[in-house]
Amino acid sequence: MTSLAHPGIERVAATLAAAGHQGPVRLLPDACRTAAEAAAAIGCAVEQIAKSIIFRLTSGQAVLVVTSGGNRVVEQNVVAALGQPLGKADAAFVREVTGFAIGGVAPVGHLQPPVVFIDQDLRRYDEIWAAAGHPHAVFPLGFDDLVRLTGGTVIAVC
């Protein structure tokens, strides 16, 4: 991919610009649908990848959990923080509520604002990388930026 001209990437870039975030969207030569692929392409540790995982409430609202690339979400921890059960989100639901395909889900720029939880382990890194609306696009940010941009609640997700 050689152009930022993609609706998802443009929406993320506009959201970041409107919030005053200076980190540029970076295009990667190959699609990166996993944290390991993204880390290898960027040249960072897999733990520096901010994975955006979508769950679904029974009400139909999305819950976004942004976790360190090396971590696996323990759903019970999210349920405890949320106070209600979580359901799995299929690819169609993810695209409907976020506007992004799985593998390119950004932590910002969703079509429908989700409830957001952020993995406290991401705090360990000065620089983290998140998807920017497409599997070929990422952007850098700091932990405090992630919290500010998403309005998320920091929890132990694993």
Side-chain angles (χ1 to χ4, degrees), residues 98-115:
T98 69
F100 309 124
I102 292 174
V105 177
V108 299
H110 293 214
L111 296 177
Q112 298 174 26
V115 174

PDB file of all heavy atoms in Angstrom, residues 98-115:
ATOM      1  N   THR A  98     -17.162  -0.211  14.151  1.00  0.00           N
ATOM      2  CA  THR A  98     -15.900   0.525  14.108  1.00  0.00           C
ATOM      3  C   THR A  98     -15.646   1.173  12.756  1.00  0.00           C
ATOM      4  O   THR A  98     -14.970   2.196  12.677  1.00  0.00           O
ATOM      5  CB  THR A  98     -14.691  -0.388  14.428  1.00  0.00           C
ATOM      6  OG1 THR A  98     -14.500  -1.321  13.359  1.00  0.00           O
ATOM      7  CG2 THR A  98     -14.856  -1.102  15.755  1.00  0.00           C
ATOM      8  N   GLY A  99     -16.132   0.533  11.696  1.00  0.00           N
ATOM      9  CA  GLY A  99     -15.806   0.978  10.346  1.00  0.00           C
ATOM     10  C   GLY A  99     -14.488   0.399   9.856  1.00  0.00           C
ATOM     11  O   GLY A  99     -14.031   0.727   8.765  1.00  0.00           O
ATOM     12  N   PHE A 100     -13.881  -0.477  10.644  1.00  0.00           N
ATOM     13  CA  PHE A 100     -12.591  -1.069  10.313  1.00  0.00           C
ATOM     14  C   PHE A 100     -12.730  -2.591  10.197  1.00  0.00           C
ATOM     15  O   PHE A 100     -13.538  -3.186  10.904  1.00  0.00           O
ATOM     16  CB  PHE A 100     -11.546  -0.778  11.398  1.00  0.00           C
ATOM     17  CG  PHE A 100     -11.427   0.661  11.788  1.00  0.00           C
ATOM     18  CD1 PHE A 100     -11.574   1.054  13.107  1.00  0.00           C
ATOM     19  CD2 PHE A 100     -11.151   1.639  10.842  1.00  0.00           C
ATOM     20  CE1 PHE A 100     -11.445   2.380  13.487  1.00  0.00           C
ATOM     21  CE2 PHE A 100     -11.016   2.972  11.209  1.00  0.00           C
ATOM     22  CZ  PHE A 100     -11.168   3.342  12.529  1.00  0.00           C
ATOM     23  N   ALA A 101     -11.878  -3.173   9.371  1.00  0.00           N
ATOM     24  CA  ALA A 101     -11.801  -4.634   9.296  1.00  0.00           C
ATOM     25  C   ALA A 101     -10.896  -5.140  10.415  1.00  0.00           C
ATOM     26  O   ALA A 101      -9.978  -4.438  10.844  1.00  0.00           O
ATOM     27  CB  ALA A 101     -11.239  -5.064   7.946  1.00  0.00           C
ATOM     28  N   ILE A 102     -11.147  -6.344  10.873  1.00  0.00           N
ATOM     29  CA  ILE A 102     -10.263  -6.966  11.856  1.00  0.00           C
ATOM     30  C   ILE A 102      -8.851  -6.975  11.276  1.00  0.00           C
ATOM     31  O   ILE A 102      -8.642  -7.284  10.120  1.00  0.00           O
ATOM     32  CB  ILE A 102     -10.746  -8.389  12.195  1.00  0.00           C
ATOM     33  CG1 ILE A 102     -12.078  -8.303  12.968  1.00  0.00           C
ATOM     34  CG2 ILE A 102      -9.703  -9.145  13.001  1.00  0.00           C
ATOM     35  CD1 ILE A 102     -12.725  -9.644  13.241  1.00  0.00           C
ATOM     36  N   GLY A 103      -7.893  -6.607  12.110  1.00  0.00           N
ATOM     37  CA  GLY A 103      -6.506  -6.489  11.661  1.00  0.00           C
ATOM     38  C   GLY A 103      -6.112  -5.039  11.436  1.00  0.00           C
ATOM     39  O   GLY A 103      -4.938  -4.712  11.368  1.00  0.00           O
ATOM     40  N   GLY A 104      -7.122  -4.164  11.329  1.00  0.00           N
ATOM     41  CA  GLY A 104      -6.854  -2.748  11.138  1.00  0.00           C
ATOM     42  C   GLY A 104      -7.625  -1.876  12.109  1.00  0.00           C
ATOM     43  O   GLY A 104      -7.717  -0.663  11.929  1.00  0.00           O
ATOM     44  N   VAL A 105      -8.202  -2.482  13.152  1.00  0.00           N
ATOM     45  CA  VAL A 105      -9.022  -1.725  14.105  1.00  0.00           C
ATOM     46  C   VAL A 105      -8.137  -0.784  14.915  1.00  0.00           C
ATOM     47  O   VAL A 105      -7.240  -1.206  15.634  1.00  0.00           O
ATOM     48  CB  VAL A 105      -9.816  -2.662  15.039  1.00  0.00           C
ATOM     49  CG1 VAL A 105     -10.602  -1.840  16.073  1.00  0.00           C
ATOM     50  CG2 VAL A 105     -10.760  -3.556  14.239  1.00  0.00           C
ATOM     51  N   ALA A 106      -8.404   0.481  14.761  1.00  0.00           N
ATOM     52  CA  ALA A 106      -7.673   1.520  15.493  1.00  0.00           C
ATOM     53  C   ALA A 106      -8.326   1.729  16.863  1.00  0.00           C
ATOM     54  O   ALA A 106      -9.505   1.410  17.042  1.00  0.00           O
ATOM     55  CB  ALA A 106      -7.708   2.832  14.704  1.00  0.00           C
ATOM     56  N   PRO A 107      -7.610   2.330  17.798  1.00  0.00           N
ATOM     57  CA  PRO A 107      -8.224   2.643  19.086  1.00  0.00           C
ATOM     58  C   PRO A 107      -9.088   3.911  19.036  1.00  0.00           C
ATOM     59  O   PRO A 107      -9.778   4.230  20.003  1.00  0.00           O
ATOM     60  CB  PRO A 107      -7.019   2.836  20.011  1.00  0.00           C
ATOM     61  CG  PRO A 107      -5.906   3.231  19.109  1.00  0.00           C
ATOM     62  CD  PRO A 107      -6.166   2.558  17.791  1.00  0.00           C
ATOM     63  N   VAL A 108      -9.051   4.630  17.915  1.00  0.00           N
ATOM     64  CA  VAL A 108      -9.808   5.877  17.741  1.00  0.00           C
ATOM     65  C   VAL A 108     -10.519   5.867  16.392  1.00  0.00           C
ATOM     66  O   VAL A 108     -10.212   5.062  15.526  1.00  0.00           O
ATOM     67  CB  VAL A 108      -8.884   7.116  17.816  1.00  0.00           C
ATOM     68  CG1 VAL A 108      -8.198   7.212  19.171  1.00  0.00           C
ATOM     69  CG2 VAL A 108      -7.853   7.107  16.700  1.00  0.00           C
ATOM     70  N   GLY A 109     -11.473   6.783  16.227  1.00  0.00           N
ATOM     71  CA  GLY A 109     -12.128   6.949  14.938  1.00  0.00           C
ATOM     72  C   GLY A 109     -13.231   5.953  14.648  1.00  0.00           C
ATOM     73  O   GLY A 109     -13.603   5.758  13.495  1.00  0.00           O
ATOM     74  N   HIS A 110     -13.812   5.359  15.674  1.00  0.00           N
ATOM     75  CA  HIS A 110     -14.875   4.374  15.485  1.00  0.00           C
ATOM     76  C   HIS A 110     -16.162   5.056  15.036  1.00  0.00           C
ATOM     77  O   HIS A 110     -16.441   6.188  15.419  1.00  0.00           O
ATOM     78  CB  HIS A 110     -15.136   3.613  16.780  1.00  0.00           C
ATOM     79  CG  HIS A 110     -13.995   2.742  17.188  1.00  0.00           C
ATOM     80  ND1 HIS A 110     -14.166   1.547  17.816  1.00  0.00           N
ATOM     81  CD2 HIS A 110     -12.642   2.881  17.048  1.00  0.00           C
ATOM     82  CE1 HIS A 110     -12.990   0.984  18.056  1.00  0.00           C
ATOM     83  NE2 HIS A 110     -12.053   1.798  17.599  1.00  0.00           N
ATOM     84  N   LEU A 111     -16.956   4.346  14.248  1.00  0.00           N
ATOM     85  CA  LEU A 111     -18.241   4.888  13.798  1.00  0.00           C
ATOM     86  C   LEU A 111     -19.201   5.062  14.964  1.00  0.00           C
ATOM     87  O   LEU A 111     -19.981   6.016  15.002  1.00  0.00           O
ATOM     88  CB  LEU A 111     -18.860   3.977  12.738  1.00  0.00           C
ATOM     89  CG  LEU A 111     -18.078   3.841  11.431  1.00  0.00           C
ATOM     90  CD1 LEU A 111     -18.770   2.842  10.501  1.00  0.00           C
ATOM     91  CD2 LEU A 111     -17.902   5.191  10.755  1.00  0.00           C
ATOM     92  N   GLN A 112     -19.171   4.124  15.909  1.00  0.00           N
ATOM     93  CA  GLN A 112     -19.995   4.194  17.112  1.00  0.00           C
ATOM     94  C   GLN A 112     -19.052   4.134  18.311  1.00  0.00           C
ATOM     95  O   GLN A 112     -18.301   3.165  18.444  1.00  0.00           O
ATOM     96  CB  GLN A 112     -20.980   3.025  17.160  1.00  0.00           C
ATOM     97  CG  GLN A 112     -21.960   3.014  15.997  1.00  0.00           C
ATOM     98  CD  GLN A 112     -22.833   1.762  16.001  1.00  0.00           C
ATOM     99  OE1 GLN A 112     -23.069   1.155  17.048  1.00  0.00           O
ATOM    100  NE2 GLN A 112     -23.296   1.376  14.828  1.00  0.00           N
ATOM    101  N   PRO A 113     -19.085   5.135  19.168  1.00  0.00           N
ATOM    102  CA  PRO A 113     -18.139   5.164  20.293  1.00  0.00           C
ATOM    103  C   PRO A 113     -18.294   3.935  21.205  1.00  0.00           C
ATOM    104  O   PRO A 113     -19.389   3.652  21.681  1.00  0.00           O
ATOM    105  CB  PRO A 113     -18.501   6.431  21.053  1.00  0.00           C
ATOM    106  CG  PRO A 113     -19.279   7.258  20.083  1.00  0.00           C
ATOM    107  CD  PRO A 113     -19.957   6.293  19.155  1.00  0.00           C
ATOM    108  N   PRO A 114     -17.206   3.212  21.437  1.00  0.00           N
ATOM    109  CA  PRO A 114     -17.266   2.055  22.331  1.00  0.00           C
ATOM    110  C   PRO A 114     -16.950   2.435  23.770  1.00  0.00           C
ATOM    111  O   PRO A 114     -16.439   3.524  24.046  1.00  0.00           O
ATOM    112  CB  PRO A 114     -16.141   1.161  21.787  1.00  0.00           C
ATOM    113  CG  PRO A 114     -15.110   2.150  21.321  1.00  0.00           C
ATOM    114  CD  PRO A 114     -15.903   3.324  20.768  1.00  0.00           C
ATOM    115  N   VAL A 115     -17.236   1.521  24.682  1.00  0.00           N
ATOM    116  CA  VAL A 115     -16.696   1.582  26.032  1.00  0.00           C
ATOM    117  C   VAL A 115     -15.250   1.118  25.880  1.00  0.00           C
ATOM    118  O   VAL A 115     -14.994   0.128  25.196  1.00  0.00           O
ATOM    119  CB  VAL A 115     -17.465   0.635  26.987  1.00  0.00           C
ATOM    120  CG1 VAL A 115     -16.803   0.608  28.352  1.00  0.00           C
ATOM    121  CG2 VAL A 115     -18.924   1.028  27.076  1.00  0.00           C
TER     122      VAL A 115
END
